[in-house]
Amino acid sequence: MIDAILLALTPAPVATPAFHPIEGATYRSDTNETRTDDGGSQHFHASRRIVFRREATGYVAETTIDSADQSGPQAGSAFLAGNRAFFGRVVRVHLDAAGAITAVDDADALIERLAASIETAARSVTGPARAAAMAAPLRAFDPAQRRAMLGSAVADLIRPVDVARPDGTRTVALPSRVPTAAGQTLPGIETVRRDGDAVSITTHAAGPVTVGGTTVPGAAAGTITLDTLRRVDTTTGLIIESRSARFITTASGARSSRAETVVTLRLEP
């Protein structure tokens, strides 16, 4: 009887969210981003192939950037330089069974390749000292930061945690991101719903913020609106589609910034 009572009081084990990419298949990931600052617009696109293979502790994701392009001013573009540094080169990202990054092959050499490409591009629009300063933060990354940077294109697609979320609508507090000041949170509403083999998570958040950096020089009061959508395949734990739209304006309305990003993942025939 006591054993039965103790068993009843024991919390049920929490199921580990599923991460089951199709092994050996080629996934195609496309990222499109449009940024509009005070009326001036730029568009960025990158396309990569990803192949997941099983290994002893989880998976290795082999990623290859096939193309990257940008509309608007391109001289000294860090976006193009960063992507073109890896054209045709396979980056091998190791993941544990739950999809978390554990290592990236040749991370030090890849970061140096990235930094050198960005520094070379920057020299077309500025002096050698300024170009070196732009690449310096990359070279100063610690091992964890290097793994995160090099593996972000894969890690951003892995969301088994969303598969385990209960359906419904709830309030959330979103963490701050550049160009909003560190430490700020944004109140919002999140809705989770399922449709067949997909789970969708939509978020709407809005409120006052302090903005600064390159979008709004110095620091100024403003407002931000953020809308996001993630659709996740419940059988693999991978994102099928991700959308975000962020609009920021200063209180005076003198400066504004809008960024819209769409990421899609699909199996190639």
Side-chain angles (χ1 to χ4, degrees):
M1 176 66 72
I2 292 177
D3 289 343
I5 293 173
L6 291 175
L7 181 60
L9 293 175
T10 301
V14 177
T16 301
F19 173 55
H20 300 297
I22 300 174
E23 299 171 40
T26 299
Y27 287 89
R28 170 70 60 182
S29 174
D30 282 286
T31 301
N32 286 281
E33 180 171 341
T34 301
R35 302 175 190 168
T36 305
D37 296 309
D38 300 327
S41 183
Q42 287 184 292
H43 181 76
F44 306 84
H45 170 257
S47 183
R48 56 176 50 83
R49 286 172 287 134
I50 305 173
V51 179
F52 294 94
R53 304 191 190 280
R54 260 293 187 182
E55 58 181 8
T57 58
Y59 298 88
V60 58
E62 300 173 345
T63 71
T64 309
I65 296 176
D66 288 332
S67 64
D69 52 78
Q70 173 183 340
S71 66
Q74 298 186 20
S77 168
F79 171 82
L80 292 178
N83 281 283
R84 290 174 177 171
F86 300 126
F87 273 5
R89 177 177 294 267
V90 178
V91 176
R92 304 180 82 246
V93 180
H94 297 269
L95 311 162
D96 65 17
I101 298 175
T102 58
V104 178
D105 288 357
D106 303 318
D108 291 348
L110 291 173
I111 285 292
E112 176 53 35
R113 183 182 183 88
L114 175 61
S117 182
I118 290 175
E119 182 176 355
T120 298
R123 284 187 178 185
S124 67
V125 294
T126 189
R130 175 59 180 160
M134 292 174 67
L138 286 169
R139 293 185 168 117
F141 276 0
D142 62 31
Q145 290 172 312
R146 294 181 176 214
R147 286 195 301 273
M149 166 66 80
L150 294 168
S152 61
V154 175
D156 290 348
L157 297 171
I158 299 172
R159 295 291 303 188
V161 65
D162 287 337
V163 177
R165 290 193 179 189
D167 286 9
T169 299
R170 57 194 61 90
T171 59
V172 293
L174 303 181
S176 64
R177 291 185 178 183
V178 175
T180 58
Q184 293 187 89
T185 58
L186 193 66
I189 299 293
E190 176 187 86
T191 299
V192 180
R193 60 169 56 93
R194 281 165 173 74
D195 179 17
D197 290 334
V199 58
S200 297
I201 300 95
T202 58
T203 304
H204 172 76
V209 292
T210 300
V211 293
T214 57
T215 302
V216 180
T223 59
I224 180 173
T225 301
L226 180 64
D227 289 286
T228 66
L229 162 69
R230 288 193 308 278
R231 294 184 63 241
V232 180
D233 184 342
T234 58
T235 64
T236 64
L238 289 167
I239 280 180
I240 304 167
E241 179 184 18
S242 173
R243 293 177 177 269
S244 69
R246 184 198 68 202
F247 180 69
I248 298 175
T249 183
T250 54
S252 66
R255 305 295 297 271
S256 66
S257 172
R258 184 177 183 87
E260 297 180 80
T261 304
V262 179
V263 179
T264 57
L265 183 71
R266 58 181 172 83
L267 281 171
E268 290 204 321

